[in-house]
Coordinates of all heavy atoms in Angstrom, one line a residue:
Chain A
L401 N -26.7 7.5 -16.3 CA -26.2 8.9 -16.2 C -25.8 9.5 -17.5 O -26.1 10.6 -17.9 CB -24.9 8.8 -15.3 CG -24.5 10.2 -14.7 CD1 -25.6 10.9 -14.1 CD2 -23.4 9.9 -13.7
E402 N -25.2 8.6 -18.4 CA -24.8 9.1 -19.7 C -26.0 9.4 -20.5 O -26.1 10.4 -21.3 CB -23.9 8.1 -20.4 CG -23.2 8.7 -21.6 CD -22.6 7.7 -22.5 OE1 -23.1 6.6 -22.6 OE2 -21.5 8.0 -23.1
R403 N -27.0 8.5 -20.4 CA -28.3 8.7 -21.1 C -28.8 10.1 -20.8 O -29.3 10.8 -21.6 CB -29.2 7.6 -20.7 CG -30.6 7.6 -21.4 CD -30.5 7.6 -22.9 NE -29.8 6.5 -23.5 CZ -29.3 6.5 -24.7 NH1 -29.5 7.5 -25.5 NH2 -28.7 5.5 -25.2
V404 N -28.8 10.4 -19.5 CA -29.3 11.7 -19.1 C -28.5 12.8 -19.7 O -29.1 13.8 -20.2 CB -29.2 11.8 -17.5 CG1 -29.5 13.3 -17.1 CG2 -30.2 10.9 -16.8
V405 N -27.2 12.6 -19.7 CA -26.3 13.7 -20.3 C -26.7 13.9 -21.8 O -26.8 15.0 -22.3 CB -24.9 13.3 -20.1 CG1 -24.0 14.2 -20.9 CG2 -24.5 13.3 -18.6
I406 N -26.8 12.7 -22.5 CA -27.1 12.8 -24.0 C -28.5 13.4 -24.2 O -28.6 14.4 -25.0 CB -27.0 11.4 -24.6 CG1 -25.6 10.9 -24.5 CG2 -27.5 11.4 -26.1 CD1 -25.4 9.4 -24.8
D407 N -29.5 12.9 -23.5 CA -30.8 13.3 -23.7 C -31.0 14.8 -23.4 O -31.7 15.5 -24.2 CB -31.8 12.5 -22.9 CG -31.9 11.1 -23.4 OD1 -31.4 10.8 -24.5 OD2 -32.5 10.2 -22.7
T408 N -30.5 15.3 -22.3 CA -30.7 16.7 -22.0 C -29.8 17.6 -22.7 O -30.0 18.8 -22.7 CB -30.5 16.8 -20.4 OG1 -29.2 16.4 -20.1 CG2 -31.5 16.1 -19.6
G409 N -28.8 17.0 -23.3 CA -27.8 17.9 -24.1 C -27.0 18.8 -23.2 O -26.4 19.7 -23.6
I410 N -26.9 18.4 -21.9 CA -26.0 19.2 -21.0 C -24.6 18.9 -21.2 O -23.7 19.6 -20.8 CB -26.4 19.1 -19.5 CG1 -26.4 17.6 -19.1 CG2 -27.7 19.8 -19.2 CD1 -26.5 17.4 -17.6
G411 N -24.3 17.7 -21.8 CA -22.9 17.3 -22.0 C -22.4 18.0 -23.2 O -23.1 18.5 -24.1
P412 N -21.0 18.1 -23.3 CA -20.4 18.6 -24.5 C -20.6 17.7 -25.7 O -20.7 16.5 -25.5 CB -19.0 18.8 -24.0 CG -18.8 17.7 -23.0 CD -20.1 17.6 -22.3
D413 N -20.5 18.3 -26.9 CA -20.7 17.5 -28.1 C -19.6 16.5 -28.3 O -19.8 15.4 -28.5 CB -20.8 18.4 -29.3 CG -22.0 19.3 -29.3 OD1 -23.0 18.9 -28.6 OD2 -22.0 20.4 -29.8
D414 N -18.4 17.1 -28.1 CA -17.2 16.2 -28.2 C -16.7 16.0 -26.8 O -16.1 16.9 -26.2 CB -16.2 16.8 -29.1 CG -14.9 15.9 -29.2 OD1 -14.9 14.8 -28.7 OD2 -14.0 16.3 -29.9
D415 N -16.9 14.8 -26.3 CA -16.5 14.6 -24.9 C -15.1 14.9 -24.5 O -14.8 15.5 -23.5 CB -16.8 13.1 -24.5 CG -18.3 12.8 -24.3 OD1 -19.0 13.8 -24.1 OD2 -18.7 11.7 -24.3
T416 N -14.2 14.4 -25.4 CA -12.8 14.6 -25.0 C -12.3 16.0 -25.1 O -11.5 16.5 -24.4 CB -11.9 13.7 -25.9 OG1 -12.4 13.8 -27.3 CG2 -11.9 12.3 -25.5
A417 N -12.9 16.8 -26.1 CA -12.4 18.2 -26.3 C -12.7 19.0 -25.0 O -11.8 19.8 -24.6 CB -13.2 18.8 -27.4
A418 N -13.8 18.7 -24.3 CA -14.1 19.5 -23.2 C -13.1 19.4 -22.1 O -13.0 20.3 -21.3 CB -15.5 19.1 -22.7
F419 N -12.4 18.3 -22.0 CA -11.5 18.0 -20.9 C -10.1 18.2 -21.3 O -9.2 18.1 -20.5 CB -11.7 16.6 -20.3 CG -13.1 16.4 -20.0 CD1 -13.9 15.5 -20.7 CD2 -13.7 17.1 -18.9 CE1 -15.3 15.3 -20.4 CE2 -15.0 16.9 -18.6 CZ -15.8 16.0 -19.3
G420 N -9.8 18.5 -22.6 CA -8.5 18.6 -23.1 C -7.8 19.8 -22.4 O -8.5 20.9 -22.3
G421 N -6.6 19.7 -22.0 CA -5.9 20.8 -21.4 C -6.5 21.2 -20.1 O -6.3 22.3 -19.6
S422 N -7.3 20.4 -19.5 CA -7.9 20.7 -18.2 C -7.0 20.3 -17.1 O -5.9 19.9 -17.3 CB -9.2 20.0 -18.1 OG -9.0 18.6 -17.9

Side-chain angles (χ1 to χ4, degrees):
Chain A
L401 196 50
E402 196 193 33
R403 181 55 57 197
V404 171
V405 172
I406 295 168
D407 289 351
T408 55
I410 53 168
D413 296 334
D414 180 3
D415 281 344
T416 42
F419 306 108
S422 70

